[in-house]
Amino acid sequence: MENRDPIYVWWDIQSCRLPYGYEPLRVHVAVKSAMRNLGFFGPIDYVAVTVKGWSYGDTLNRIETTGFRIKRYYAWQSCNMFIRNNISEWMHSHEPPAVVVIISCDKGLGSLVNHLRVVDGFKTCIIYVPAFTSERLISIPNFSLLWSDVLANAPLVDPREYDLPLREVRAEAIYVHPSQKSVAVTVGTDLRVFDLIEKRRVTLMGKSRRSCRKYSTNTRVVRYGASGKLFVCASNDGWVNIWSAESWHRLYTMVALAIAIRSNDSHVCYADTRGDVWVVELDGIDECKVSPCNKTARLLFRSSSIITSLDFSPDGRYILSADLDFKIRVTVFPKNPLRGAHEIQSICLGHKASITCIAFVWNSELNQRYLLSGSEDTTVRLWDISSGSLLHTCDISTMGEYTESNESEPPGQVTITDMCTIPNSTLAIVAIQSFPGLLLLSCTPSISIKKVIRIPGESFIPTSISLSGSMKLLWMVSGALNPPRSNHPVFSRVKVISCIEAALYSILGDDQIPGGQKLLEQLQRKVPTEDCGECSNRSCERSNNV
C-alpha cells in the first residue's frame, strides 16, 4: 500500500549545489522521483535555504517557479543553525506521521536528525554529497541518498511550459596539455583523455571504487600543471585526484572544493569545506617520479569564507583564492610553505556575484601583470595584483550588439563561463553563457572588445576553452542544448581555432584538428539523454529503515 504521509524538504543550496548547466526546474522533479522510489507518494512542501545577498543569476527564480520557498540567512550565520531553527519552528505545528528530508552535507545536523527520528518519530531522509559528509550523519536517518543520484534520475522538463527560455547546456570542460601532448574532455559524467602523440585514448590508472564515485556528477575542474607533468581533475562530489601526465598513474587523492598547482610543480594547494587552504609538497618532479613527499598536508592559511577557486600566479609568487563573499585574496606564497602563509598581498573587492573564472594577463616584455576575473554578475574585471585595486570593469550585458544571440534570453542574465589569456600579450579570450562564439578582449589596462568570433553553421556555445601555448591553438568544447522530448541524439562537440589573435583566424575542420577523426570519435561520443554514469545509478539506502 502506498504511503501518503506528507513530505517536508529543506535544501541547503550552499553545501549541495547544482552542477553547472543543470536545469534548476528539474530539482523538484528529482526529489519527488527519489521519494517515490522509496515508497512515499504524499504531497511535498519544499524550502530552499541560501545566503542573503548571494546571486545565482536566474537560478533562484527558476527554483521558485516550481514551488520552492526561498529562505535566506546572513553570511555570518551558521547554515546548520538556521535550518535547525526553521525545523524547530515547523515541529511546533506538525507531528508524525510525516517524512522529513534534509538535503545538506552539514555535519552539525546529526543531532537534529537523530531527535526527529528517535524522539519525535518522524521518518527521516538525508540527501548528501559523500566527500563532504561524515559517516555518522548518513547513518542516523531512516534513508540516505546521494545528491548526484537524485539529480541524475530526474526526467528532463520543458522550461517553455513555465514560460521560461531553454538554458540547459551540458557542462563539458576541456583542457589541453601545455605542449599539446594530450587533450582532456569531460562528457556528461565521463572524463576522457586523448594522447595526441600516440593517437589513442588514455586509461587513467589506479582508480579505486571510492575515487570512481566522483564521476557520478560532472567533473568540475580539469587542468594540467604548467610543466605538463601533472594532471588534476575535481568533481562536484568533492573528490580531487592528481595523476602523472606521463605514466597516467594516480599519485594523490583528496577532498577539496578547489585546487591549484604551482608553476614549477613543487607544490599543490587545495581548499576544504571550512575555507582552510592546505599545501602538499611534491618530490621527484625532476626525475619524472612525481609523488607526495608528505602524506599529511600542512595548513597554508585560513579564509573567512568558503573558497570556490584557487590559482597560482604564473611566476609562482602568489596564490589567489576566490570565495563566497565575491572577493579575491592575493597571498604571498612563502619560501617555506609548510610553516604557513601569513602575508596577504592584497584583496580584490568589487564583484557582486559568484566569481566563475580567473586568468592572468602576463606580458613580461611590457612589464604588465594583471589579474582578470569573470563572474555571474555579467562583468569581466581587471585588477592590479600588488595593490588589489580595480583597474577597469567591462559589463558584458550592456554590449548587446556583440553578444545578442537569443531573443528569449532575459536581459542581464549573462554569466562569464570561462576565460584564458594568450601568453606574453595583453589579449584574453572569454566564453559567455548562451553566446555561440567568443570575445577577444584587449587589456591595456582598460578592457575593450578587439574581436567577436562567431562559430558559423551551427549553434556552438563554448562551455570551456583552453589554449595550447606551444601550438597557438584554441580548443573549445560545447555540450549540446538539451531540448526536452527531443528524439535527436545529444553529442558533445570539440572545435579548434588557429591564429585566434590574428586578423585572419580560422576554425579548423574536423580533418584538420590534431588527432583527426580518431580524436573526435573518442571525445565527441553521444551523451546520455539523462545525466547517468557507471556510478550514478547506484543509490545508497541504509538498512536501518522502518
Side-chain angles (χ1 to χ4, degrees), residues 245-266:
E246 297 174 344
S247 67
W248 300 109
H249 281 81
R250 193 179 71 242
L251 307 172
Y252 202 72
T253 299
M254 65 200 75
V255 177
L257 293 177
I259 189 167
I261 306 174
R262 203 176 185 196
S263 55
N264 60 359
D265 290 339
S266 60

Side-chain angles (χ1 to χ4, degrees), residues 18-27 55-65 156-160 163-171 376 406 408-410 413-415 417 432-435 461 463 479-484:
L18 294 178
Y20 170 70
Y22 192 90
E23 173 56 68
L25 295 174
R26 295 176 64 185
V27 177
S55 173
Y56 299 88
D58 69 337
T59 296
L60 291 182
N61 176 56
R62 296 170 92 92
I63 291 173
E64 282 185 298
T65 302
L156 295 176
V157 297
D158 192 342
R160 290 166 294 192
D163 295 323
L164 296 170
L166 290 171
R167 58 160 277 180
E168 186 170 5
V169 177
R170 306 191 73 90
E376 291 181 354
N406 187 350
S408 63
E409 187 75 16
Q413 301 295 341
V414 182
T415 297
T417 56
I432 305 169
Q433 180 185 12
S434 303
F435 177 57
I461 300 175
T463 57
L481 188 72
N482 286 338

Side-chain angles (χ1 to χ4, degrees), residues 176 178-180 421-425 429 466-475 496-502 505-506 508:
V176 60
S179 302
Q180 201 165 282
T421 53
I422 298 176
N424 293 321
S425 76
I429 307 156
S466 182
L467 185 68
S468 168
S470 60
M471 304 298 290
K472 290 294 182 70
L473 296 179
L474 181 74
W475 293 71
V496 178
I497 300 178
S498 65
C499 305
I500 191 168
E501 73 274 25
Y505 66 89
S506 62
L508 303 184

Side-chain angles (χ1 to χ4, degrees), residues 55-57 326 349-356 373-381 383 390 393-398 412-417 433:
S55 173
Y56 299 88
F326 321 141
L349 300 174
H351 278 297
K352 299 178 181 178
S354 177
I355 299 168
T356 56
S373 61
S375 170
E376 291 181 354
D377 65 8
T378 76
T379 66
V380 176
R381 298 175 188 251
W383 312 85
L390 178 63
T393 299
C394 178
D395 191 342
I396 300 298
S397 66
T398 64
Q413 301 295 341
V414 182
T415 297
I416 313 302
T417 56
Q433 180 185 12

Side-chain angles (χ1 to χ4, degrees), residues 96-317:
V99 183
V100 177
V101 180
I102 301 177
I103 307 172
S104 178
C105 300
D106 201 317
K107 303 171 186 177
L109 293 171
S111 59
L112 171 66
V113 176
N114 184 67
H115 192 280
L116 284 167
R117 182 191 173 195
V118 177
V119 179
D120 297 307
F122 290 101
K123 296 182 180 69
T124 56
C125 176
I126 282 285
I127 301 177
Y128 66 99
V129 177
F132 303 141
T133 311
S134 66
E135 287 294 327
R136 179 179 178 276
L137 176 61
I138 61 179
S139 65
I140 293 173
N142 301 107
F143 305 95
S144 299
L145 301 174
L146 290 177
W147 182 226
S148 55
D149 290 347
V150 172
L151 295 178
N153 294 326
L156 295 176
V157 297
D158 192 342
R160 290 166 294 192
E161 294 179 358
Y162 299 88
D163 295 323
L164 296 170
L166 290 171
R167 58 160 277 180
E168 186 170 5
V169 177
R170 306 191 73 90
E172 319 300 6
I174 190 168
Y175 213 90
V176 60
H177 188 281
S179 302
Q180 201 165 282
K181 293 181 179 179
S182 59
V183 178
V185 170
T186 63
V187 182
T189 59
D190 194 10
L191 171 62
R192 301 169 184 173
V193 184
F194 189 85
D195 190 319
L196 290 168
I197 305 300
E198 299 185 10
K199 304 288 193 274
R200 63 177 179 83
R201 183 175 174 179
V202 169
T203 301
L204 298 176
M205 307 297 291
K207 291 194 300 180
S208 65
R209 176 180 292 271
R210 186 183 186 193
S211 64
C212 182
R213 169 61 72 180
K214 72 184 185 343
Y215 296 112
S216 60
T217 55
N218 291 349
T219 302
R220 185 179 68 252
V221 177
V222 177
R223 64 172 60 181
Y224 290 86
S227 69
K229 295 180 180 179
L230 296 179
F231 174 74
V232 177
C233 71
S235 75
N236 287 306
D237 270 357
W239 293 113
V240 176
N241 281 344
I242 304 176
W243 279 278
S244 165
E246 297 174 344
S247 67
W248 300 109
H249 281 81
R250 193 179 71 242
L251 307 172
Y252 202 72
T253 299
M254 65 200 75
V255 177
L257 293 177
I259 189 167
I261 306 174
R262 203 176 185 196
S263 55
N264 60 359
D265 290 339
S266 60
H267 298 87
V268 172
C269 293
Y270 64 92
D272 63 18
T273 57
R274 297 185 299 271
D276 294 343
V277 175
W278 302 81
V279 60
V280 177
E281 196 169 72
L282 300 179
D283 191 21
I285 188 69
D286 295 330
E287 296 79 17
C288 301
K289 299 177 181 178
V290 187
S291 61
C293 66
N294 292 284
K295 291 185 179 181
T296 303
R298 304 295 182 90
L299 181 66
L300 188 64
F301 64 85
R302 283 193 163 99
S303 172
S304 59
S305 182
I306 295 176
I307 291 174
T308 57
S309 62
L310 281 176
D311 206 354
F312 278 97
S313 59
D315 59 0
R317 183 180 178 185

Side-chain angles (χ1 to χ4, degrees), residues 473-533:
L473 296 179
L474 181 74
W475 293 71
M476 307 174 290
V477 65
S478 174
L481 188 72
N482 286 338
R485 303 180 182 87
S486 172
N487 294 322
H488 298 289
V490 183
F491 291 85
S492 62
R493 289 286 287 125
V494 174
K495 286 186 177 294
V496 178
I497 300 178
S498 65
C499 305
I500 191 168
E501 73 274 25
L504 296 176
Y505 66 89
S506 62
I507 300 175
L508 303 184
D510 289 352
D511 57 339
Q512 299 174 309
I513 294 177
Q517 290 293 336
K518 192 170 183 179
L519 174 140
L520 296 179
E521 288 173 3
Q522 294 295 322
L523 302 186
Q524 291 187 165
R525 289 187 297 178
K526 182 177 178 180
V527 179
T529 304
E530 297 182 9
D531 274 330
C532 55

